[in-house]
């Protein structure tokens, strides 16, 4: 158990440091890695706007974060719940097991994200596009 805890702590710290460096880079240069799907097709994928959403969350600009990626912002509590459940289960037991209810929640999240990714490309749902309400 201690070895798994050390391993998860090490990788968690590396991930957080990489995120902080990327955040500083984005803030300092104004440049972020573009979405390759959007660059090639011109369509918004389910993840388009997520980097800006996270940057705005870290800057405590919640309104901008919401309009950059509404689905992520709304599903964030569930994502955090599953992240902590994953970490706890792995460190404590060495494996991850979800209940039927948790599996159902994961499927609902996946369906919501896929529908979000499809709908945001229709003109009727243009308000779902990243930054659409703020004129960004």
């Amino acid at each position: 158990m201690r070895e798994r805890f050390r391993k998860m702590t090490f990788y968690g710290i590396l991930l957080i440091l990489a995120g902080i460096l990327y955040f500083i880079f984005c803030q300092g240069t104004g440049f972020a890695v573009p979405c390759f799907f959007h660059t090639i097709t011109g369509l918004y994928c389910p993840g388009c706007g997520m980097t800006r959403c996270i940057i705005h969350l870290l800057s405590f600009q919640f309104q901008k974060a919401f309009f950059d990626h509404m689905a992520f912002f709304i599903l964030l509590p569930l994502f955090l719940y599953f992240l902590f459940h994953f970490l706890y289960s792995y460190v404590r037991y060495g494996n991850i097991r979800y209940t039927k209810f948790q599996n159902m929640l994961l499927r609902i999240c996946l369906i919501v994200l896929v529908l979000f990714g499809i709908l945001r490309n229709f003109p009727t749902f243009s308000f779902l596009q990243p930054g659409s309400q703020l004129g960004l």
Side-chain angles (χ1 to χ4, degrees), residues 1-62:
M1 184 167 105
R2 288 183 185 189
E3 183 59 33
R4 288 189 299 265
F5 180 76
R6 280 190 220 127
K7 183 178 175 183
M8 293 305 292
T9 302
F10 175 74
Y11 287 123
I13 289 171
L14 279 180
L15 184 63
I16 290 169
L17 287 175
I20 290 170
L21 289 174
Y22 185 66
F23 175 73
I24 292 169
F25 175 78
C26 289
Q27 292 293 338
T29 64
F31 176 78
V33 177
C35 174
F36 297 114
F37 182 81
H38 181 68
T39 303
I40 293 170
T41 66
L43 299 172
Y44 293 102
C45 74
C48 280
M50 194 170 302
T51 300
R52 282 182 279 163
C53 177
I54 292 171
I55 288 172
H56 286 136
L57 280 174
L58 293 173
S59 302
F60 301 104
Q61 298 173 345
F62 299 113

Coordinates of all heavy atoms in Angstrom, one line a residue, residues 1-62:
M1 N 0.8 -1.2 0.0 CA 0.0 0.0 0.0 C 0.9 1.3 0.0 O 0.6 2.2 -0.7 CB -0.9 0.0 1.2 CG -1.9 1.2 1.2 SD -3.2 1.0 2.4 CE -2.7 2.1 3.7
R2 N 1.9 1.3 0.8 CA 2.8 2.4 0.8 C 3.5 2.7 -0.5 O 3.7 3.8 -0.9 CB 3.9 2.3 1.9 CG 3.3 2.4 3.3 CD 4.3 2.3 4.3 NE 3.7 2.3 5.7 CZ 4.3 2.4 6.8 NH1 5.7 2.5 6.8 NH2 3.7 2.4 7.9
E3 N 3.9 1.6 -1.2 CA 4.5 1.8 -2.5 C 3.6 2.4 -3.5 O 3.9 3.3 -4.3 CB 5.0 0.4 -3.0 CG 5.8 0.5 -4.3 CD 7.0 1.4 -4.2 OE1 7.7 1.5 -3.1 OE2 7.3 2.0 -5.2
R4 N 2.3 1.9 -3.5 CA 1.3 2.5 -4.4 C 1.1 4.0 -4.1 O 0.9 4.8 -5.0 CB 0.0 1.7 -4.3 CG 0.1 0.3 -5.0 CD -1.3 -0.3 -5.1 NE -1.9 -0.5 -3.8 CZ -1.9 -1.7 -3.1 NH1 -1.2 -2.7 -3.6 NH2 -2.5 -1.8 -2.0
F5 N 1.1 4.3 -2.8 CA 0.9 5.7 -2.4 C 2.0 6.6 -2.8 O 1.8 7.7 -3.4 CB 0.7 5.8 -0.8 CG 0.5 7.2 -0.3 CD1 -0.7 7.8 -0.5 CD2 1.6 7.9 0.2 CE1 -0.9 9.1 -0.1 CE2 1.4 9.2 0.7 CZ 0.1 9.8 0.5
R6 N 3.2 6.1 -2.7 CA 4.4 6.8 -3.1 C 4.4 7.0 -4.7 O 4.7 8.1 -5.2 CB 5.7 6.1 -2.7 CG 6.1 6.4 -1.3 CD 7.5 5.8 -1.0 NE 7.4 5.2 0.3 CZ 7.8 4.0 0.6 NH1 8.4 3.3 -0.3 NH2 7.7 3.6 1.8
K7 N 4.0 6.0 -5.4 CA 3.9 6.0 -6.8 C 2.9 7.0 -7.3 O 3.1 7.9 -8.1 CB 3.6 4.6 -7.3 CG 3.5 4.5 -8.8 CD 3.2 3.1 -9.2 CE 3.0 2.9 -10.7 NZ 2.7 1.5 -11.0
M8 N 1.7 7.0 -6.7 CA 0.6 7.9 -7.0 C 1.0 9.4 -6.7 O 0.7 10.3 -7.4 CB -0.7 7.5 -6.4 CG -1.3 6.2 -6.9 SD -1.5 6.2 -8.7 CE -2.8 7.4 -9.0
T9 N 1.7 9.5 -5.5 CA 2.1 10.9 -5.1 C 3.1 11.4 -6.1 O 3.0 12.6 -6.5 CB 2.7 10.8 -3.7 OG1 1.7 10.3 -2.8 CG2 3.1 12.2 -3.2
F10 N 4.1 10.6 -6.5 CA 5.1 11.0 -7.4 C 4.5 11.5 -8.7 O 4.8 12.6 -9.2 CB 6.1 9.9 -7.6 CG 7.2 10.2 -8.7 CD1 8.2 11.1 -8.4 CD2 7.1 9.6 -9.9 CE1 9.1 11.4 -9.4 CE2 8.0 9.9 -10.9 CZ 9.0 10.8 -10.6
Y11 N 3.6 10.6 -9.3 CA 3.0 10.9 -10.6 C 2.1 12.1 -10.5 O 1.9 12.9 -11.4 CB 2.3 9.7 -11.2 CG 3.3 8.7 -11.7 CD1 3.3 7.4 -11.3 CD2 4.3 9.0 -12.7 CE1 4.2 6.5 -11.7 CE2 5.2 8.1 -13.1 CZ 5.1 6.8 -12.7 OH 6.0 5.9 -13.1
G12 N 1.4 12.2 -9.3 CA 0.5 13.4 -9.1 C 1.3 14.7 -9.1 O 0.9 15.7 -9.7
I13 N 2.4 14.7 -8.4 CA 3.2 15.9 -8.3 C 3.8 16.2 -9.7 O 3.8 17.4 -10.1 CB 4.4 15.7 -7.3 CG1 3.8 15.7 -5.8 CG2 5.4 16.8 -7.4 CD1 4.8 15.3 -4.8
L14 N 4.2 15.2 -10.4 CA 4.7 15.5 -11.8 C 3.6 16.1 -12.7 O 3.9 17.1 -13.4 CB 5.2 14.2 -12.5 CG 6.6 13.7 -12.1 CD1 6.9 12.5 -12.8 CD2 7.6 14.8 -12.4
L15 N 2.4 15.6 -12.6 CA 1.3 16.1 -13.3 C 0.9 17.5 -12.9 O 0.7 18.4 -13.8 CB 0.1 15.2 -13.2 CG -1.1 15.5 -14.0 CD1 -0.8 15.4 -15.5 CD2 -2.3 14.6 -13.6
I16 N 0.9 17.8 -11.6 CA 0.6 19.1 -11.2 C 1.7 20.1 -11.6 O 1.4 21.2 -12.1 CB 0.5 19.1 -9.6 CG1 -0.8 18.4 -9.3 CG2 0.5 20.5 -9.1 CD1 -1.0 18.1 -7.8
L17 N 3.0 19.7 -11.5 CA 4.1 20.6 -12.0 C 4.0 20.9 -13.5 O 4.2 22.0 -13.9 CB 5.4 20.0 -11.6 CG 5.8 20.0 -10.1 CD1 7.1 19.3 -9.9 CD2 5.9 21.5 -9.6
A18 N 3.7 19.8 -14.2 CA 3.5 20.0 -15.7 C 2.4 21.0 -16.0 O 2.5 21.9 -16.8 CB 3.3 18.7 -16.4
G19 N 1.3 20.8 -15.2 CA 0.1 21.7 -15.4 C 0.5 23.2 -15.0 O 0.1 24.1 -15.7
I20 N 1.2 23.3 -13.9 CA 1.6 24.7 -13.5 C 2.5 25.3 -14.6 O 2.3 26.5 -14.9 CB 2.3 24.6 -12.1 CG1 1.3 24.3 -11.0 CG2 3.0 26.0 -11.8 CD1 1.9 24.0 -9.7
L21 N 3.5 24.6 -15.1 CA 4.4 25.1 -16.1 C 3.6 25.5 -17.4 O 3.8 26.5 -18.0 CB 5.5 24.1 -16.5 CG 6.5 23.9 -15.4 CD1 7.5 22.8 -15.8 CD2 7.3 25.2 -15.2
Y22 N 2.6 24.6 -17.8 CA 1.8 24.9 -18.9 C 0.9 26.2 -18.7 O 0.8 27.0 -19.5 CB 0.9 23.7 -19.3 CG 0.1 23.9 -20.6 CD1 0.8 24.0 -21.8 CD2 -1.2 23.9 -20.5 CE1 0.1 24.2 -22.9 CE2 -2.0 24.1 -21.7 CZ -1.3 24.2 -22.9 OH -2.0 24.4 -24.0
F23 N 0.4 26.3 -17.5 CA -0.4 27.4 -17.1 C 0.4 28.7 -17.2 O 0.0 29.7 -17.8 CB -1.0 27.2 -15.7 CG -1.7 28.4 -15.1 CD1 -3.0 28.7 -15.6 CD2 -1.2 29.2 -14.2 CE1 -3.7 29.8 -15.1 CE2 -1.9 30.3 -13.6 CZ -3.1 30.6 -14.1
I24 N 1.6 28.7 -16.6 CA 2.5 29.8 -16.7 C 2.9 30.2 -18.1 O 2.9 31.3 -18.5 CB 3.8 29.6 -15.8 CG1 3.4 29.5 -14.3 CG2 4.8 30.6 -16.1 CD1 4.5 29.0 -13.5
F25 N 3.1 29.1 -18.9 CA 3.5 29.4 -20.3 C 2.3 30.0 -21.1 O 2.5 31.0 -21.8 CB 3.8 28.0 -21.0 CG 4.0 28.1 -22.5 CD1 5.2 28.6 -23.0 CD2 3.1 27.7 -23.4 CE1 5.4 28.7 -24.3 CE2 3.3 27.8 -24.7 CZ 4.4 28.3 -25.2
C26 N 1.1 29.5 -20.8 CA -0.1 30.0 -21.5 C -0.4 31.5 -21.1 O -0.7 32.3 -21.9 CB -1.3 29.2 -21.2 SG -1.3 27.6 -22.0
Q27 N -0.2 31.8 -19.8 CA -0.4 33.1 -19.3 C 0.6 34.1 -19.8 O 0.3 35.2 -20.1 CB -0.4 33.1 -17.7 CG -1.6 32.4 -17.1 CD -2.9 33.1 -17.4 OE1 -3.0 34.3 -17.7 NE2 -4.0 32.4 -17.3
G28 N 1.9 33.6 -19.9 CA 2.9 34.5 -20.3 C 3.0 34.8 -21.8 O 3.3 35.9 -22.2
T29 N 2.6 33.8 -22.6 CA 2.7 33.9 -24.0 C 1.4 34.2 -24.7 O 1.4 34.7 -25.8 CB 3.4 32.7 -24.7 OG1 2.5 31.6 -24.4 CG2 4.7 32.4 -24.1
G30 N 0.3 33.8 -24.0 CA -1.0 33.9 -24.7 C -1.2 32.8 -25.7 O -2.2 32.8 -26.4
F31 N -0.4 31.8 -25.7 CA -0.5 30.7 -26.7 C -0.8 29.4 -26.0 O -0.2 29.1 -24.9 CB 0.9 30.6 -27.5 CG 0.9 29.4 -28.4 CD1 0.2 29.4 -29.6 CD2 1.5 28.2 -28.1 CE1 0.2 28.4 -30.5 CE2 1.5 27.1 -28.9 CZ 0.9 27.2 -30.1
A32 N -1.7 28.6 -26.5 CA -2.0 27.3 -26.0 C -2.0 26.3 -27.1 O -2.2 26.7 -28.3 CB -3.3 27.3 -25.3
V33 N -1.8 25.1 -26.9 CA -1.9 24.1 -27.9 C -3.3 24.0 -28.5 O -4.2 23.8 -27.8 CB -1.5 22.7 -27.3 CG1 -1.6 21.6 -28.4 CG2 -0.1 22.7 -26.8
P34 N -3.4 24.2 -29.8 CA -4.7 24.2 -30.4 C -5.3 22.8 -30.5 O -4.6 21.8 -30.5 CB -4.5 24.8 -31.8 CG -3.1 24.4 -32.1 CD -2.3 24.4 -30.8
C35 N -6.6 22.7 -30.6 CA -7.3 21.4 -30.8 C -7.1 21.0 -32.3 O -7.4 21.7 -33.2 CB -8.8 21.6 -30.6 SG -9.7 20.1 -30.9
F36 N -6.4 19.8 -32.4 CA -6.1 19.3 -33.8 C -7.4 19.0 -34.6 O -7.4 19.2 -35.8 CB -5.2 18.1 -33.7 CG -3.8 18.5 -33.1 CD1 -3.4 18.0 -31.9 CD2 -3.0 19.4 -33.8 CE1 -2.2 18.3 -31.4 CE2 -1.8 19.7 -33.2 CZ -1.4 19.2 -32.0
F37 N -8.4 18.4 -33.9 CA -9.6 18.1 -34.5 C -10.3 19.3 -35.1 O -10.7 19.4 -36.3 CB -10.6 17.4 -33.5 CG -11.9 16.9 -34.1 CD1 -12.0 15.8 -34.9 CD2 -13.0 17.7 -34.0 CE1 -13.1 15.4 -35.4 CE2 -14.2 17.3 -34.5 CZ -14.3 16.1 -35.3
H38 N -10.3 20.4 -34.3 CA -11.0 21.7 -34.8 C -10.1 22.3 -35.9 O -10.7 22.8 -36.9 CB -11.1 22.7 -33.6 CG -11.8 23.9 -34.0 ND1 -13.1 24.0 -34.4 CD2 -11.3 25.2 -34.1 CE1 -13.4 25.3 -34.7 NE2 -12.3 26.0 -34.5
T39 N -8.8 22.2 -35.8 CA -7.9 22.8 -36.8 C -8.1 22.1 -38.2 O -8.2 22.7 -39.2 CB -6.4 22.7 -36.4 OG1 -6.3 23.3 -35.1 CG2 -5.5 23.3 -37.4
I40 N -8.3 20.8 -38.1 CA -8.4 20.0 -39.4 C -9.8 20.1 -39.9 O -10.0 20.3 -41.1 CB -8.0 18.5 -39.1 CG1 -6.5 18.5 -38.8 CG2 -8.3 17.7 -40.3 CD1 -6.0 17.1 -38.3
T41 N -10.8 19.9 -39.1 CA -12.2 19.8 -39.6 C -13.0 21.1 -39.5 O -14.0 21.2 -40.2 CB -13.0 18.7 -38.8 OG1 -13.1 19.1 -37.5 CG2 -12.3 17.4 -38.9
G42 N -12.6 22.0 -38.6 CA -13.4 23.2 -38.4 C -14.6 22.9 -37.4 O -15.4 23.9 -37.1
L43 N -14.7 21.7 -37.0 CA -15.8 21.4 -36.0 C -15.2 21.4 -34.6 O -14.1 21.1 -34.4 CB -16.4 20.0 -36.3 CG -17.0 19.8 -37.7 CD1 -17.3 18.4 -38.0 CD2 -18.2 20.7 -37.9
Y44 N -16.1 21.6 -33.6 CA -15.7 21.5 -32.2 C -15.9 20.1 -31.7 O -16.9 19.5 -31.9 CB -16.6 22.5 -31.4 CG -16.3 23.9 -31.7 CD1 -17.2 24.6 -32.5 CD2 -15.2 24.6 -31.2 CE1 -17.0 26.0 -32.8 CE2 -15.0 25.9 -31.5 CZ -15.9 26.6 -32.3 OH -15.6 27.9 -32.6
C45 N -14.8 19.6 -31.1 CA -14.9 18.3 -30.4 C -15.4 18.4 -29.0 O -15.6 19.6 -28.5 CB -13.5 17.6 -30.4 SG -12.3 18.3 -29.3
P46 N -15.7 17.3 -28.3 CA -16.2 17.5 -27.0 C -15.2 18.1 -26.0 O -15.6 18.6 -24.9 CB -16.5 16.0 -26.5 CG -16.7 15.3 -27.8 CD -15.8 16.0 -28.8
G47 N -14.0 18.2 -26.4 CA -13.0 18.8 -25.5 C -12.6 20.2 -25.8 O -11.8 20.8 -25.1
C48 N -13.0 20.7 -27.0 CA -12.6 22.1 -27.4 C -13.0 23.1 -26.3 O -14.2 23.1 -25.8 CB -13.3 22.4 -28.7 SG -12.5 21.8 -30.1
G49 N -12.1 23.9 -25.9 CA -12.3 24.9 -24.9 C -12.0 24.5 -23.5 O -12.0 25.2 -22.5
M50 N -11.6 23.2 -23.3 CA -11.3 22.7 -22.0 C -10.0 23.3 -21.4 O -10.0 23.6 -20.2 CB -11.2 21.2 -22.0 CG -11.2 20.6 -20.5 SD -11.4 18.8 -20.4 CE -12.9 18.5 -21.3
T51 N -9.0 23.5 -22.2 CA -7.8 24.2 -21.6 C -8.1 25.6 -21.1 O -7.7 25.9 -20.0 CB -6.7 24.2 -22.7 OG1 -6.4 22.9 -23.2 CG2 -5.4 24.9 -22.2
R52 N -8.9 26.3 -21.9 CA -9.2 27.7 -21.5 C -10.1 27.6 -20.3 O -10.0 28.5 -19.4 CB -10.0 28.4 -22.6 CG -9.0 29.0 -23.6 CD -9.7 29.8 -24.7 NE -10.2 28.8 -25.6 CZ -11.2 29.1 -26.5 NH1 -11.7 30.2 -26.6 NH2 -11.6 28.1 -27.4
C53 N -11.0 26.6 -20.2 CA -11.9 26.5 -19.0 C -11.1 26.3 -17.8 O -11.3 26.9 -16.8 CB -12.8 25.3 -19.3 SG -13.9 24.9 -17.9
I54 N -10.1 25.4 -17.8 CA -9.2 25.1 -16.7 C -8.4 26.3 -16.3 O -8.2 26.6 -15.1 CB -8.4 23.8 -16.9 CG1 -9.3 22.6 -17.0 CG2 -7.3 23.7 -15.9 CD1 -8.6 21.3 -17.5
I55 N -7.9 27.0 -17.3 CA -7.1 28.2 -17.0 C -7.9 29.3 -16.3 O -7.5 29.9 -15.4 CB -6.4 28.7 -18.3 CG1 -5.3 27.8 -18.7 CG2 -5.9 30.2 -18.1 CD1 -4.7 28.1 -20.1
H56 N -9.2 29.4 -16.8 CA -10.1 30.4 -16.2 C -10.5 29.9 -14.8 O -10.6 30.8 -13.9 CB -11.3 30.7 -17.1 CG -11.0 31.5 -18.3 ND1 -11.5 31.2 -19.5 CD2 -10.2 32.6 -18.4 CE1 -11.0 32.1 -20.4 NE2 -10.2 32.9 -19.7
L57 N -10.7 28.6 -14.6 CA -11.0 28.2 -13.2 C -9.8 28.5 -12.3 O -10.0 28.9 -11.2 CB -11.2 26.6 -13.3 CG -12.6 26.2 -13.7 CD1 -12.7 24.7 -13.8 CD2 -13.7 26.7 -12.7
L58 N -8.6 28.2 -12.7 CA -7.4 28.5 -11.9 C -7.2 30.0 -11.6 O -6.6 30.4 -10.7 CB -6.1 27.9 -12.5 CG -6.1 26.4 -12.6 CD1 -4.9 25.9 -13.4 CD2 -6.1 25.8 -11.2
S59 N -7.8 30.8 -12.5 CA -7.7 32.3 -12.3 C -8.9 32.8 -11.6 O -9.1 34.0 -11.5 CB -7.6 33.0 -13.7 OG -6.4 32.5 -14.4
F60 N -9.8 31.9 -11.2 CA -11.1 32.3 -10.5 C -12.0 33.1 -11.3 O -12.8 33.9 -10.8 CB -10.8 33.0 -9.1 CG -9.9 32.2 -8.2 CD1 -8.6 32.4 -8.0 CD2 -10.5 31.1 -7.5 CE1 -7.8 31.7 -7.2 CE2 -9.8 30.3 -6.7 CZ -8.4 30.6 -6.5
Q61 N -12.0 32.9 -12.6 CA -12.9 33.5 -13.6 C -13.9 32.5 -14.0 O -13.9 31.9 -15.0 CB -12.1 34.0 -14.8 CG -11.1 35.1 -14.5 CD -10.2 35.4 -15.7 OE1 -10.2 34.7 -16.7 NE2 -9.5 36.5 -15.5
F62 N -14.9 32.3 -13.1 CA -15.8 31.2 -13.2 C -16.8 31.4 -14.4 O -17.2 30.4 -15.0 CB -16.6 31.0 -11.9 CG -15.7 30.6 -10.8 CD1 -15.5 31.5 -9.7 CD2 -15.0 29.4 -10.8 CE1 -14.7 31.2 -8.7 CE2 -14.1 29.1 -9.7 CZ -14.0 30.0 -8.7

